[in-house]
Amino acid sequence: MSKKKIYHVIQVSQKMIQTFPKQGHSNVVFNAVFYRNGKKLNSIDQADVANFSHLVRSYDKSENPDKVKVEFKDQDSGSLIWAKTFEWTDVDDEIPRSLSGYSGLGEAEVNDLVQRKFSEMERSKELERMSSELQRLQTENEELEFQMQDMQNTLDAKKQVEYYSNIIGMALPGLAKFLSNSPMGAAMNFLAGTEQDAKSVEQGKNAEQEPKDSQRDTILEMILAFCKTMNDQELGTLYLMLSEIEKDRGNLQRILQFITQTQPINNPT
């Protein structure tokens, strides 16, 4: 196997290794199985990813394979993170594109971009949550200050009425009872603390649900079913496209115009 081919295997795998910590995998090991002419030659089992490049080069020199299967696993959970089989015929097709400046995104690049996008979204959501919580606390604080001021005003009013009632030699409850049939009686009862307030409870109205749009739901179900048929690279690419459309929805019309434009038909002469 040529140096360019093994370099391609190591380069693609190392790019994936760099994304694992961002995905929350801190203890990763790898397996590598080498084949030639369809027969298994040798394998590397449960090796530390820090030794990936060195071990793969060593086994390549000793085994001279024409195919290698690489797997990365999270040792803590035992789950498979990423796997890929490199066949030298496929590698031959991929190497010229990368050497000639091919600008397409591979699976590792797409995964890295998706991970960055999710990290940005999480930071943005956390900032919005903290801002909303701060606003809520400020509103509650203003309401408490208003309630405290209102209670203080009521207390001051009670003290003043009781003070002047004592001056004229009457207890406030007695005066309230004496004036019970007058509009002032109700106010005196309240200030004396003898009136029971009947607070009315507001009943909330249930928001009327809009009738279900069966056509819209059908379209959404079709889109979801189609997304489930995609592999990880296709799904990641679609996610990045939707992120750009969300920033500028005019991109949606431009994409639609591009894929529906009339293709020229060459008439035979």
Side-chain angles (χ1 to χ4, degrees), residues 48-101:
D48 194 315
V49 290
N51 301 322
F52 180 86
S53 300
H54 173 72
L55 290 175
V56 170
R57 286 195 184 97
S58 299
Y59 275 71
D60 173 65
K61 290 179 181 179
S62 62
E63 304 297 337
N64 191 27
D66 58 11
K67 181 172 74 171
V68 58
K69 180 180 179 181
V70 179
E71 294 180 342
F72 293 94
K73 293 185 175 182
D74 188 313
Q75 195 169 27
D76 294 331
S77 64
S79 60
L80 178 66
I81 305 174
W82 182 77
K84 184 175 179 64
T85 300
F86 297 88
E87 297 193 36
W88 303 152
T89 54
D90 297 335
V91 172
D92 285 336
D93 293 336
E94 293 175 5
I95 291 177
R97 292 187 298 178
S98 60
L99 295 178
S100 61

Side-chain angles (χ1 to χ4, degrees), residues 9-268:
V9 174
I10 293 174
Q11 183 185 42
V12 172
S13 299
Q14 286 291 355
K15 286 182 179 179
M16 286 303 307
I17 291 173
Q18 293 173 4
T19 68
F20 295 155
K22 301 175 184 178
Q23 300 176 26
H25 305 292
S26 58
N27 190 7
V28 180
V29 295
F30 78 95
N31 301 326
V33 184
F34 300 86
Y35 301 87
R36 184 170 63 246
N37 297 328
K39 295 182 179 180
K40 180 179 177 181
L41 301 174
N42 209 334
S43 64
I44 303 171
D45 299 316
Q46 302 292 306
D48 194 315
V49 290
N51 301 322
F52 180 86
S53 300
H54 173 72
L55 290 175
V56 170
R57 286 195 184 97
S58 299
Y59 275 71
D60 173 65
K61 290 179 181 179
S62 62
E63 304 297 337
N64 191 27
D66 58 11
K67 181 172 74 171
V68 58
K69 180 180 179 181
V70 179
E71 294 180 342
F72 293 94
K73 293 185 175 182
D74 188 313
Q75 195 169 27
D76 294 331
S77 64
S79 60
L80 178 66
I81 305 174
W82 182 77
K84 184 175 179 64
T85 300
F86 297 88
E87 297 193 36
W88 303 152
T89 54
D90 297 335
V91 172
D92 285 336
D93 293 336
E94 293 175 5
I95 291 177
R97 292 187 298 178
S98 60
L99 295 178
S100 61
Y102 177 70
S103 59
L105 296 178
E107 186 173 356
E109 289 85 351
V110 169
N111 288 341
D112 187 47
L113 287 172
V114 170
Q115 184 62 36
R116 291 181 188 177
K117 190 67 178 179
F118 269 109
S119 298
E120 293 174 1
M121 288 177 59
E122 290 299 322
R123 287 195 296 269
S124 178
K125 288 180 180 178
E126 182 63 15
L127 182 61
E128 291 177 0
R129 186 193 67 79
M130 293 177 65
S131 177
S132 177
E133 182 67 10
L134 178 60
Q135 182 65 36
R136 184 184 68 81
L137 291 174
Q138 289 176 342
T139 302
E140 288 183 356
N141 186 56
E142 292 174 357
E143 291 177 354
L144 289 173
E145 289 180 352
F146 176 81
Q147 291 177 10
M148 289 179 60
Q149 185 61 46
D150 186 63
M151 292 172 65
Q152 185 63 44
N153 293 338
T154 301
L155 180 61
D156 291 342
K158 285 184 177 181
K159 288 181 178 179
Q160 289 182 4
V161 173
E162 289 174 351
Y163 174 75
Y164 288 111
S165 295
N166 288 331
I167 289 178
I168 63 175
M170 286 187 178
L172 185 59
L175 182 60
K177 183 177 181 181
F178 179 76
L179 299 174
S180 59
N181 293 327
S182 68
M184 186 179 293
M188 297 295 284
N189 277 327
F190 171 74
L191 294 174
T194 59
E195 179 185 17
Q196 299 295 327
D197 289 334
K199 297 183 179 180
S200 60
V201 180
E202 296 183 356
Q203 298 180 348
K205 296 182 179 180
N206 295 327
E208 296 184 357
Q209 298 181 350
E210 296 181 359
K212 183 177 179 182
D213 190 332
S214 59
Q215 183 179 17
R216 176 185 176 87
D217 289 344
T218 300
I219 294 174
L220 290 174
E221 290 174 0
M222 291 175 62
I223 293 175
L224 178 59
F226 172 70
C227 291
K228 290 182 178 179
T229 65
M230 293 182 170
N231 59 36
D232 291 345
Q233 182 176 358
E234 293 171 339
L235 188 61
T237 302
L238 178 60
Y239 170 77
L240 294 173
M241 291 174 58
L242 292 177
S243 296
E244 294 303 317
I245 291 173
E246 184 179 13
K247 294 178 183 176
D248 181 5
R249 298 202 176 187
N251 287 330
L252 185 62
Q253 294 299 327
R254 287 188 281 273
I255 293 174
L256 181 61
Q257 183 178 6
F258 175 78
I259 63 178
T260 57
Q261 63 184 352
T262 304
Q263 300 295 331
I265 300 176
N266 296 326
N267 295 323

